Amino acid sequence: MDGLLPSLVTELLKQLGSFAAQQALQELLLLVGVDEEIENLQYNFKMVQAMLNKFEERRLRDDAVKLWYDKLEDAYYMIDDVLDTWETAKIKLQIPKEEGEKAAHSNAPAPPEKKMKKVWSSFPSPSCCFRQVDNVSVRHEVGHKIKKLNVTLANILQGKQEFGIDLNSQPERVERLEITSFVDVSKIVGRNEYKDDPLNNLLGVGSQQESNPLVISLVGVGGIGKSTVAKLAYNDSKVRDHFQKLMWVSVSDPFDQCKVAKAIIQELAPTHESLNNTTTTLQALLCIVCDLIKDKKFFLVFDDVWAKDVPKESEKWEPFKDALTHGAQGSRILVTTRNKDAAHMMGSTKTHIINLGNLFVDDCWLIIRKIAFIDENIDQHKDLEPLGRQLADKCHGLPLAAKLIGGYMHEKRIKEQWEKVLESSLWDLEDVEKGLLGPLLLSYYELSSVEKQCFLFCAIFPKDHVINRFELIIHWMAQGYINSKGNREMEDIAEEYFEKLAMSSFFQDFEKDENDGRIKSCKMHDIVHDFAQSLTKDVCFTIEGKEEVKIDFKRARQLSLIVKETFSESIYEAKNLRTLFLHSHVHSEFNMHKSKSFDHFRCLRTLILVGPFTKLPDAVENLIHLRCFHMYGNVKIEELPETLCNLCNLQTLNIDNGAYIKKLPQGMGKLINLRQLRIDTSWHGGHTIKFPNGIGKLTCLRTLSQFYISGKDDKEGCKLGELKNLNQLRGSFKMHGLGNVVDVGEAQNAQLKKKIHLHNLVLNFLGEGQFLQEEELKEEDEESRRRMESDVAVLNALEPPSHLEKLSITRVMSTTVYTDWMTSLTNLKSLNIDGCSQLECLPPLGKLPLLKELEIWGAPNVKKLGDEFLGIESENKSKKDDCHIINIFPNLRVLKISYMKNCEEWIGMGGKREEVEEEKDSGLVSVSHPIIKIMPRLESLTIKGCHKLKCLPDYLRTTPLQKLFISKCPILKQRCKTERGDYLPIISHIPRINLR
């Protein structure tokens, strides 16, 4: 490069006059020097981040510091954008150019003056002197941005003195703690005395003269525990027995009439068609409510009702009051609210308003103690109790404040730490809600800088929003909050941040997965949400697009925008926007092609579409920083543009509109940083989604929810072998179209066995929505024979990882689904065999040691269930070892057998129906030795649509069955009826028997 640069300069001087030559030289030096400037900028980025962390607390105390801090924060995000632009250019160099793509498309220089363009055209490509990025236009753009940023940073740092900023001052040091588990405060403290008041009002007989429904209100400040008391009443067994219908509806602010009406319907009839956006007017929704509650005694909780403008709000509530009178006499409504005006507005009389008082200091201390010390004996820390009681006094009787303090003091065991908290000046700041800002700030400042960013992101969600844990983590990753550490996955690191926020009581109302106990979703308390919004009020906005807004959007980084036909032009000022939730109304005509969104919002990291959008503009490729793109189920886009594949930073592509999407772009293989490709087909329209070839290049994929294999004649479609290198896949994985595979080698090449992070696998041999009638499959048909031979060979070659927990095998066209690997799945807990119409016998499933749930659906050619199903081999039955015990289905809890319409027998051991000897009462079956124990933990048995089935195995009598459901099995039903039923002795011990 040292030899090349002078020659370039000499050539410039020959072609141009001195002034033009100086300009050209400056441009050239700028282009060549970008690599070094990037290194300096990366250092400045870390320095700015450190300064932001250092002065964050002071910005809340000092308005002057806040002005300086905001400028520095804006510069921080501008630096991040420039560094990301540079990294993006480096990533694009890794992506092979598609055949036929013109090199000039990405490498053509774009200097501002035509004369300069002529100069560049006379030289050989200067890329030989560029170390990392050879795209001249990118180097030019980045070079000039760095030049401006250096000036901006210099001005900010020079102005620190006028703002009273001392960079050498030391911030208050806070000891960091490592969180390893959650705290579950299972018992309510200090509220039992209030529980009886609403209960007495709810269960009272009342008079014919009282209003119907009677409205009772719980009134108290935020964080006092109104919702907790309401839940105590709502879940009381006497209440649940007293009312025919119970409903819990969160109202919050702002009050959305249609949303609340739909919430009521959701509680009354969760599958009602009006919930699918088919009914949009309030009148129609309330008519449905009237029908659902007519002549029924109901109990309805309206949680968190507001009344900022009583006359206006009261008018909005009137239609609800009229509709709810259709319930039976004695119906009740319980309202929780922060002020008495709202209680009166809702119809509560003075005698039916319950004012919730503050907790006593002892109660607050009990809450703090339970969370701070978990299972430890408090007697071991007697020296901390006096300090703890002083902290309890500072909670002003608010349970939420006590929970926050308890979370903050978790694992702090040194007396000086507790004294330091008591002496903190944070208690003196103005309150978000009296008594709460101090505890909130203490917990907030305990967080790391990354954890703070993660928490503040949640301000974008509306109040009372159900936050999906995994989606929240994806958002955090998209914003760049999560950095990889060694070999640790970003998702795992983000999980720890989520746990810390949950531990600190920033989240609540957790819903957990029934299988693994992990949190699936949560909410934020209104006060905590207000606190997050107060800290982000200059950068996070929710806007109704039709409104004329007087907001300075220049600092906006998060925006939830609700649009109809258009939105205010002033929103385009949000050039630095990083998150956009774009909501379109049901009958909207908003056209993204006509809007200039993708020309202006070029810094976006997250884009969420909600509403009936029909097409995504090609201009989406302008969003080079985009990490997360999410289309909700009501988005009507059928095809994504090819330009989407130019977004090489994209990490997450969530497609929830499985009912509409038809194909993925052909260039998907260019999305080399994609980690999550999720397609939700729960509302699937019955069509196959076409996957292109090239998916195998996406080796960063962690989640691939659906995978569609194209037919043999589809040259552009995706083949099974593409899976070979996708060994980082985890979670659930559904494969469709396996019946299209004709080459068994391709199935072996998929190397499913190496996908060791998968725990749930679906092997579907027909694409979803395709159905092959039994009469179409005849043995003499050559294609049918080929398919039957191919399916069993492919299934055998698709050996899954041995630790798989869930497996579903669907629509295999073969007489058997037994494979060499099936009994090696020793960790399998759930197995589903579905729609295998040619299946003649079941595999030896009884050998699976951990299997808990087994469902067999649609196997019309299976004529009996016998020893082969149990997995009992003839050589085992002939052994004479008295001490040998064979466990068959040792952990099976749930068994479902459906639509095996030609199955006639389900027999016991050795082909005999009754072969239980003396050991039967102890649950053991002895057949010429060894001792065999069958289904010793079976709890639920469902038999449906087995029209010819006429017998049950005798070993069922020794199982601990709690539930037996038999439907559409006329012969079996008759033989199981009470009094004269042949099989009554076998099933008489089962508490719940349902015969239909």
Side-chain angles (χ1 to χ4, degrees), residues 167 288 351 382 470 502 543 603 738 792 838 878 895 919 922 937 981:
L167 295 180
I288 296 169
T351 56
K382 280 289 187 183
F470 185 74
I543 302 295
C603 295
L738 287 166
V792 70
Q838 303 303 303
S878 63
L895 175 59
E919 295 90 343
S922 62
R937 298 185 179 181

Side-chain angles (χ1 to χ4, degrees), residues 3 38 104 132 424 446 525 578 797:
I38 284 290
Q132 294 180 321
S424 173
E446 174 73 1
H525 191 285
R578 291 183 158 230

Side-chain angles (χ1 to χ4, degrees), residues 387-401:
L387 299 171
R389 290 186 176 277
Q390 292 181 59
L391 283 175
D393 187 48
K394 287 183 174 291
C395 293
H396 299 283
L398 299 179
L400 178 61

Side-chain angles (χ1 to χ4, degrees), residues 65-170:
V65 172
K66 184 181 184 305
L67 290 172
W68 179 84
Y69 184 95
D70 289 348
K71 290 182 179 180
L72 189 65
E73 189 176 46
D74 292 342
Y76 169 84
Y77 284 105
M78 286 189 284
I79 294 173
D80 188 36
D81 289 336
V82 171
L83 291 175
D84 198 57
T85 300
W86 184 256
E87 289 299 314
T88 301
K90 288 167 59 177
I91 291 171
K92 287 188 174 182
L93 287 178
Q94 301 173 26
I95 303 173
K97 302 295 182 186
E98 296 293 330
E99 189 175 348
E101 180 179 341
K102 294 181 180 179
H105 179 70
S106 59
N107 290 324
E113 299 179 12
K114 293 181 180 179
K115 194 171 186 178
M116 287 296 296
K117 288 182 181 178
K118 292 180 181 179
V119 172
W120 285 120
S121 65
S122 66
F123 294 133
S125 172
S127 62
C128 55
C129 63
F130 299 154
R131 295 203 304 271
Q132 294 180 321
V133 175
D134 62 0
N135 189 319
V136 177
S137 63
V138 172
R139 299 182 75 90
H140 182 270
E141 176 191 355
V142 169
H144 278 278
K145 285 184 176 179
I146 292 177
K147 191 174 180 180
K148 291 180 180 179
L149 272 174
N150 288 338
V151 174
T152 300
L153 271 179
N155 290 336
I156 292 173
L157 296 177
Q158 287 174 6
K160 65 183 183 297
Q161 292 181 343
E162 62 183 275
F163 289 108
I165 305 295
D166 181 6
L167 295 180
N168 296 318
S169 63
Q170 294 298 317

Side-chain angles (χ1 to χ4, degrees), residues 2 45 70 90 263 269 293 350 390 414 464 496 513 518 561 573 599 607 616 627 733 781 803 815 835 840 877 954:
D2 293 338
F45 184 66
D70 289 348
K90 288 167 59 177
I293 65 170
K350 186 176 181 180
Q390 292 181 59
I414 302 173
D464 204 50
E496 291 185 1
D513 189 285
R518 297 175 67 191
L561 182 60
E573 295 176 4
D599 293 325
L607 175 62
L616 191 67
R627 262 73 172 177
F733 181 40
D781 181 79
H803 60 273
T815 57
E840 293 181 355
K877 291 187 287 184
D954 196 73

Side-chain angles (χ1 to χ4, degrees), residues 687-702:
H687 60 267
T688 297
I689 300 171
K690 184 177 179 180
F691 272 45
N693 57 35
I695 295 292
K697 299 175 184 177
L698 308 181
T699 54
C700 287
L701 273 178
R702 267 58 176 173

